[in-house]
Amino acid sequence: MIAFSDFTRPSRRHIILPCLFVLSFAARGQNQFPFASEPLTEKTDFSAKMVAGVDRFLTGETVRLQQLRPALWKRDFSSAAAFQQSISSEKNLLARRLGLVEDRVLPQLQILTDLHSGGLKPFKIEFPGCTVSAIRWQVLDGLPAEGLLLQPRGKIRARIVMVPDADVVPEVLAGLQPAADAGFGAARQLAKAGFEVIIPVLISRDDRYSGNKSLNLFTNQTHREWIYRQAYEVGRHVIGYELQKIFSAIDWLQSRNETEGNKVPIGVAGHGEGGLLALYAAALDQRISATLVSGYFDAREQLWQEPIYRNVFGLLKYFGDAEIAVMSWPRTLIVEHARGPEISGPPAASDDRSGASPGKITTPDFHSSQEEFNRAKALVPAGKNHLQWVAASTASPGSPFSLAALKAFAGSLKVELPASLTLSSYRIKKDGWVDADQRQERAVREMEAHVQRVVALCHRTRDKNFWATLKGDIAAQKPVKAAHRKELGEVLGELPIPSIPANPKARLLKETDKWTSYEVTLDVYAPDVFVWGILVIPKGITPGEKRPVVVCQHGLEGLPEDVVNEDTASDMYKVYKAYAIKLAERGYITFSPHNFYRGEDKFRVLQRKANPIGLTIFSVITAQHRRIVEWLAQQPFVDPSRIGFYGLSYGGKTAMRVPAQVEGYALSICSADFNEWVVKTTTIDYPFGYVYNNEYDMDEWDLGHTFNYAEMAALIAPRPFMVERGHEDGVSIDELVDFEFAKVRRHYDELGIPENVAIEHFVGPHSIHAVGTFEFLDKHLRNIQPKK
C-alpha cells in the first residue's frame, strides 16, 4: 500500500502505448519477439478490466458454491441426537467462524443501583404484572453484559432472551421508552403473561465512541464496525461476542430452572440485528426450545452489500439463512416477515471522522424472504417440519413482534397468550434510570478491551502451533513447512492452480540501446481473470544464456507503468525510482505485473465479495503469480531457478503472502510494508493503525493466531528474504518493524544461513531505496549458478 499521506497521485490515462513511442509492434512484426505470443491488439484500460473481471469471477464463484452447497451436508433426521451428530462438523465450523472459542464464566447477574442516591437505590420498576430491573452480568473473563430483566408477578411459564435491533435500546421492548416500529412493549407484554425475560444491550450503529480519546482520533465507523475491524484479524467477531452474551443469559435462565425445580422451556426472539443473533443462537444452542426471527431472514448471496460487521469468512460455502434455520431442528423456529432496520450507509463522514466502509440494510423483500424460507422447509423431510412463517401481508411488511408472531412463539413454548395484549403507559424518569449513552460506551469499551487483550496474547498460539513445530535442519523442516504453507493457503483462501493455457499476447512498448519493453497479458481463469504487465528484457543476451528475473510489484492504486517511469520529476519516480528499468540496466529481466488493488471501493468490495466464499483478494493475486512464475520459467532466456520478487507497499504485502505460498519465487524483498502486521491491523493505540482509515480490505480472518509476517517469512526460508525500511515511513515505527524482523533473523540464524536474510534501514519515506536491495539481488540472484 502507498500511504495516502505520502503523495498525491496525478490524474493520468492508462498507457495506450503504440502512439507514445517511435517503434510499434506492427513495425517490428510478431516474429521478432524473443518469446512465443499472439499480437496484443486490444486498446483498453486493463486495470479497470481486471477489477471488473475479478468481480464477475467472484460473483460466479458465489453462484457455483451455492449450487454445490447441498452436497456438502449429510443430515440425519432420524432423531434429535442423530441430527446433532450429523451436523457437528458444520456446527463447529460456524461457531469458529463467529469467534465462539472461549469458555464463558458464571453469569453472576446483578441488579444495578443508582450511585447518586444515598441508599444505592436499585434500578427497578414495579408494574402490576411484572418488575423491570437494570442488570449486569459476566460473560467471558473480562467481558460483562448489560440489559434488562423482566420478571412476572405470578408463576413463571417460560424464560426467554429477547434481542432488539442494534439501534433499539432494551427499554423500548420493555415499554419504558417509546419508539416507532421497533417492537415497543413486546417484552413487558410477555412478562405479564408469565415470561421471565432478559433483554441484552447490543453494540449500536452510532459512531460516538468509535475512536481513542487519548489520541484524539475518531472514525465514522459504527460501533459495530469499530469492534469488527479490531476483532476479525484475531478470530473474534462482534456477532460472536453478542452470541456469547445471549448464551450467558441462557446460562443464568437455565440455572434458575435448576435452582427452582421449574424446568420451563427457554426461547430466544430477535428483531433486525437481534434477528440475526436469534437465528445463529438457535442453530448453535440446543437449550433453546423455540426461536422467533423477525425482520431479518433472507437470501444472503448479496452479503457483501450489507455492513461489514455482518461479514463472516467462508459463510456461503456451507450456510445460507435456510441452512442455519434447519440447524435448529427439531426445535421450533418462527420467521416473521416484518419491517427491519433501514440503513443506507454508515454515519456521515466529516473532517475528523472518516474511514467507515459502505454497507446498507433494507427490509427483506417478501418474496425473497419467503423463497429462502421455502428452501429451508424443502431441506427437512416431509412430516418433520419445525419451521413456521408469519407475515402481515405480501404488499407491506408489518411491525416486528406482532401479536400473531408472539402467539406462535409463546405457543411453541407451551404458553397461551390472551386474545389481545395491552400495555399501560410509562415513561422513565431521566435521572432515575440507567444512562443509555453511558451504558453504550461501557459496552463498546469493554468489548474493545477484550479484543485488545486477545491481540496481546495471540502470539502464544503462533508460538505453539508454528514456531514450536520447526525443529531440525532445513531438510527436516521442509515437510512441516509444506503443511504450514497449505494452512496459509486455507487462511487466505486458495484457488486451484491455473490449468488453462497461458495464451500470451504481447506488443512492443519501447526500445533503447540497453533494453526492450513489452506489454504482456496471460490468461489465468479465462475470460475474467488474467495477468497484465510490462516485461523488460536487457540487450545483449547471448543464445542459450539464461538470465535471472525480478518481478517488480507496484503498490496501492498503482499501475505497471509506475515502476518503469523514468521521469525524475514525476511523483511515481519519487516513490519507485524506476527500479524495474534500473534492474534491467544491471542485466536482470524484469516483469512488472498489475495487481488489481486499484479504484478505491471498486476493488475493496472485491474483498467483501471474496470473504463470504472463503477467499480474499490474495486468493486471486496468488493464482495470477503462479501463472506469472510458470510462464517466465518457460522462456528460453530465463533461468527458472532465479526468479525473484521485489514489491513496494501493497506490493510488499504481496511479497509476504505470495512467495510464502509460491515456491517458484527464489527470493523475496518486502519494501515499505514489513510490520508487526497483527498490531498494524488491530491497534487503537497507534495513529497508523488501519482501524483509523478506509482500508477495510486489510483484515484477514484470524491471521493473528496463525501467520504474522515473521511466520510468512519463515515459509519463504531458506530462500533469501530482505526487508527495505525507510525511517520516515508512516506505515509503522522502526521499533515494531524490528521487533517482528528479529524473529525472522533468528530463524535464519538457527537454520545456519544468516547470509540469506537482511534488513536495510534508510533515511527516507515510503519508497524504493534501491541500494541494499540491489546488492542483495546481485548476491543471491546474479551469482546463483543456473540449474543444468
Side-chain angles (χ1 to χ4, degrees):
M1 182 220 42
I2 297 174
F4 59 84
S5 59
D6 290 330
F7 66 90
T8 301
R9 171 175 292 279
S11 61
R12 57 189 177 167
R13 292 192 311 110
H14 162 68
I15 46 176
I16 301 299
L17 303 147
C19 65
L20 301 180
F21 302 104
V22 174
L23 296 176
S24 70
F25 178 84
R28 288 177 55 89
Q30 180 187 352
N31 61 354
Q32 294 190 32
F33 281 79
F35 51 89
S37 70
E38 296 294 323
L40 179 60
T41 58
E42 184 177 2
K43 297 180 180 181
T44 188
D45 182 340
F46 282 109
S47 175
K49 180 180 178 180
M50 189 177 291
V51 170
V54 173
D55 188 289
R56 287 191 300 272
F57 174 78
L58 293 173
T59 299
E61 283 295 288
T62 302
V63 173
R64 187 180 71 87
L65 288 180
Q66 182 188 32
Q67 295 169 345
L68 294 175
R69 194 185 300 158
L72 299 176
W73 290 84
K74 307 297 179 185
R75 304 178 187 89
D76 181 353
F77 291 94
S78 60
S79 69
F83 180 77
Q84 287 300 315
Q85 179 62 34
S86 70
I87 67 165
S88 59
S89 60
E90 290 82 9
K91 187 174 177 179
N92 291 337
L93 174 63
L94 180 61
R96 290 196 307 273
R97 291 292 168 81
L98 294 171
L100 295 166
V101 295
E102 288 157 309
D103 294 332
R104 294 186 299 279
V105 300
L106 291 175
Q108 298 179 330
L109 188 145
Q110 302 170 340
I111 297 178
L112 297 181
T113 56
D114 185 356
L115 298 178
H116 298 291
S117 67
L120 297 177
K121 181 181 178 181
F123 285 124
K124 191 171 185 178
I125 301 172
E126 303 280 352
F127 290 102
C130 68
T131 61
V132 180
S133 304
I135 58 171
R136 182 177 174 89
W137 69 97
Q138 291 299 312
V139 179
L140 305 175
D141 184 13
L143 181 69
E146 290 190 51
L148 301 183
L149 171 65
L150 285 71
Q151 294 179 292
R153 293 285 188 188
K155 181 181 178 181
I156 294 176
R157 301 174 180 229
R159 292 185 159 102
I160 67 168
V161 181
M162 199 166 198
V163 193
D165 179 58
D167 287 340
V168 176
V169 293
E171 285 76 10
V172 172
L173 298 187
L176 306 182
Q177 179 175 321
D181 198 35
F184 173 72
R188 183 145 61 97
Q189 290 174 326
L190 292 177
K192 288 170 56 181
F195 286 74
E196 187 170 54
V197 186
I198 291 179
I199 313 173
V201 172
L202 297 192
I203 301 298
S204 78
R205 302 187 189 95
D206 194 358
D207 66 346
R208 188 177 311 181
Y209 310 117
S210 298
N212 189 329
K213 292 179 182 178
S214 67
L215 294 178
N216 196 29
L217 275 178
F218 295 90
T219 83
N220 69 323
Q221 297 164 28
T222 65
H223 298 153
R224 300 187 73 77
E225 180 174 350
W226 173 249
I227 296 297
Y228 165 91
R229 284 173 65 169
Q230 298 168 53
Y232 194 85
E233 192 78 10
V234 290
R236 302 297 186 271
H237 206 295
V238 63
I239 294 174
Y241 277 126
E242 291 186 329
L243 282 171
Q244 291 282 36
K245 292 183 178 183
I246 292 171
F247 297 150
S248 180
I250 294 174
D251 292 342
W252 187 81
L253 295 174
Q254 185 183 40
S255 70
R256 293 267 287 166
N257 269 349
E258 294 170 355
T259 300
E260 298 174 0
N262 182 22
K263 296 186 178 181
V264 297
I266 294 174
V268 173
H271 169 242
E273 220 65 37
L276 176 156
L277 295 167
L279 180 66
Y280 285 125
L284 296 171
D285 195 331
Q286 295 181 69
R287 299 174 299 176
I288 300 170
S289 297
T291 304
L292 170 58
V293 177
S294 179
Y296 171 75
F297 199 86
D298 203 356
R300 292 290 155 210
E301 275 58 47
Q302 301 302 312
L303 179 59
W304 63 274
Q305 295 189 38
E306 298 178 43
I308 197 169
Y309 50 77
R310 288 185 172 183
N311 179 46
V312 178
F313 187 72
L315 181 75
L316 296 181
K317 182 176 181 180
Y318 283 91
F319 310 101
D321 281 7
E323 285 78 14
I324 298 173
V326 173
M327 290 173 72
S328 64
W329 187 88
R331 296 161 288 123
T332 302
L333 188 138
I334 301 155
V335 173
E336 180 186 30
H337 184 256
R339 280 190 290 274
E342 297 284 342
I343 309 297
S344 60
S350 61
D351 291 342
D352 60 345
R353 282 184 180 268
S354 60
S357 64
K360 61 183 180 181
I361 301 174
T362 59
T363 294
D365 174 76
F366 179 91
H367 298 289
S368 174
S369 181
Q370 190 175 53
E371 184 177 344
E372 186 73 2
F373 177 83
N374 290 336
R375 192 169 71 82
K377 283 185 66 176
L379 297 174
V380 181
K384 295 190 176 184
N385 176 55
H386 68 303
L387 303 169
Q388 296 182 37
W389 172 265
V390 176
S393 71
T394 59
S396 177
S399 298
F401 300 137
S402 66
L403 178 58
L406 292 180
K407 282 190 172 184
F409 178 55
S412 298
L413 293 169
K414 304 187 184 332
V415 179
E416 184 177 352
L417 294 185
S420 63
L421 299 175
T422 59
L423 194 69
S424 58
S425 61
Y426 185 91
R427 184 178 291 273
I428 55 175
K429 297 177 181 178
K430 184 176 180 181
D431 297 330
W433 195 249
V434 179
D435 186 297
D437 291 336
Q438 293 177 4
R439 183 177 61 191
Q440 179 65 204
E441 182 174 17
R442 287 195 296 272
V444 172
R445 296 298 173 225
E446 286 160 353
M447 199 172 287
E448 176 187 284
H450 194 277
V451 174
Q452 293 299 318
R453 180 63 175 164
V454 175
V455 170
L457 298 180
C458 65
H459 69 91
R460 294 179 179 176
T461 305
R462 300 197 307 273
D463 291 346
K464 176 183 177 182
N465 295 339
F466 185 89
W467 293 108
T469 68
L470 300 183
K471 299 176 181 178
D473 59 13
I474 293 173
Q477 291 185 19
K478 187 174 182 179
V480 179
K481 287 188 175 181
H484 286 307
R485 192 169 288 113
K486 182 178 180 181
E487 182 188 3
L488 177 60
E490 293 170 352
V491 170
L492 297 178
E494 194 163 21
L495 287 166
I497 294 174
S499 59
I500 64 171
N503 188 28
K505 296 180 181 179
R507 60 183 161 216
L508 178 71
L509 289 188
K510 185 176 181 180
E511 186 171 11
T512 73
D513 59 346
K514 296 181 179 180
W515 48 263
T516 307
S517 64
Y518 309 88
E519 185 178 19
V520 176
T521 65
L522 308 169
D523 288 344
V524 181
Y525 304 122
D528 293 323
V529 181
F530 61 95
V531 168
W532 165 58
I534 296 175
L535 179 69
V536 182
I537 302 178
K539 293 290 183 67
I541 299 178
T542 60
E545 182 183 3
K546 293 181 180 292
R547 292 281 183 95
V549 181
V550 180
V551 173
C552 302
Q553 191 64 67
H554 64 75
L556 179 67
E557 299 293 340
L559 288 168
E561 68 175 272
D562 296 339
V563 302
V564 300
N565 187 336
E566 297 180 276
D567 180 1
T568 58
S570 70
D571 288 328
M572 292 303 100
Y573 186 87
K574 294 172 186 176
V575 174
Y576 293 103
K577 310 294 192 304
Y579 78 111
I581 295 298
K582 291 180 180 178
L583 285 170
E585 291 174 348
R586 293 171 79 98
Y588 293 95
I589 297 164
T590 66
F591 185 67
S592 305
H594 182 59
N595 277 3
F596 54 89
Y597 31 72
R598 186 165 184 260
E600 297 184 354
D601 277 343
K602 288 183 180 179
F603 91 81
R604 291 197 169 96
V605 298
L606 298 181
Q607 184 82 320
R608 293 295 317 282
K609 277 195 169 184
N611 275 191
I613 56 174
L615 300 175
T616 64
I617 61 172
F618 277 103
S619 306
V620 182
I621 290 170
T622 300
Q624 290 173 312
H625 279 270
R626 290 191 190 280
R627 175 50 36 105
I628 289 167
V629 169
E630 175 193 62
W631 180 75
L632 288 171
Q634 292 170 349
Q635 304 315 308
F637 46 83
V638 168
D639 178 6
S641 68
R642 293 190 291 168
I643 301 174
F645 188 100
Y646 185 177
L648 172 89
S649 196
Y650 221 124
K653 299 184 203 323
T654 313
M656 299 309 304
R657 290 159 179 79
V658 169
Q661 298 179 79
V662 181
E663 295 181 271
Y665 279 120
L667 168 153
S668 185
I669 299 175
C670 176
S671 177
D673 184 72
F674 190 87
N675 226 311
E676 212 294 3
W677 181 254
V678 177
V679 170
K680 170 74 174 176
T681 52
T682 60
T683 184
I684 61 173
D685 294 318
Y686 291 97
F688 54 71
Y690 277 126
V691 296
Y692 291 113
N693 65 39
N694 67 340
E695 294 177 71
Y696 55 85
D697 54 297
M698 291 299 167
D699 292 323
E700 294 150 312
W701 174 251
D702 204 17
L703 212 64
H705 288 98
T706 52
F707 299 94
N708 206 340
Y709 273 17
E711 288 77 21
M712 293 182 197
L715 293 183
I716 295 171
R719 293 167 289 163
F721 173 72
M722 183 176 180
V723 170
E724 183 176 52
R725 160 75 189 171
H727 288 306
E728 299 164 7
D729 188 343
V731 302
S732 190
I733 55 176
D734 288 341
E735 292 85 346
L736 284 177
V737 172
D738 291 354
F739 170 84
E740 189 70 7
F741 184 78
K743 301 178 185 180
V744 183
R745 186 184 295 280
R746 176 175 176 170
H747 182 60
Y748 276 81
D749 285 349
E750 290 175 341
L751 291 177
I753 48 172
E755 69 280 1
N756 277 17
V757 70
I759 186 169
E760 180 191 35
H761 296 87
F762 64 94
V763 178
H766 191 77
S767 66
I768 293 287
H769 188 47
V771 178
T773 51
F774 279 21
E775 295 172 359
F776 193 77
L777 287 167
D778 287 347
K779 176 181 178 180
H780 293 288
L781 281 190
R782 187 188 295 277
N783 294 333
I784 294 176
Q785 293 299 316
K787 291 181 180 179
K788 296 182 180 179

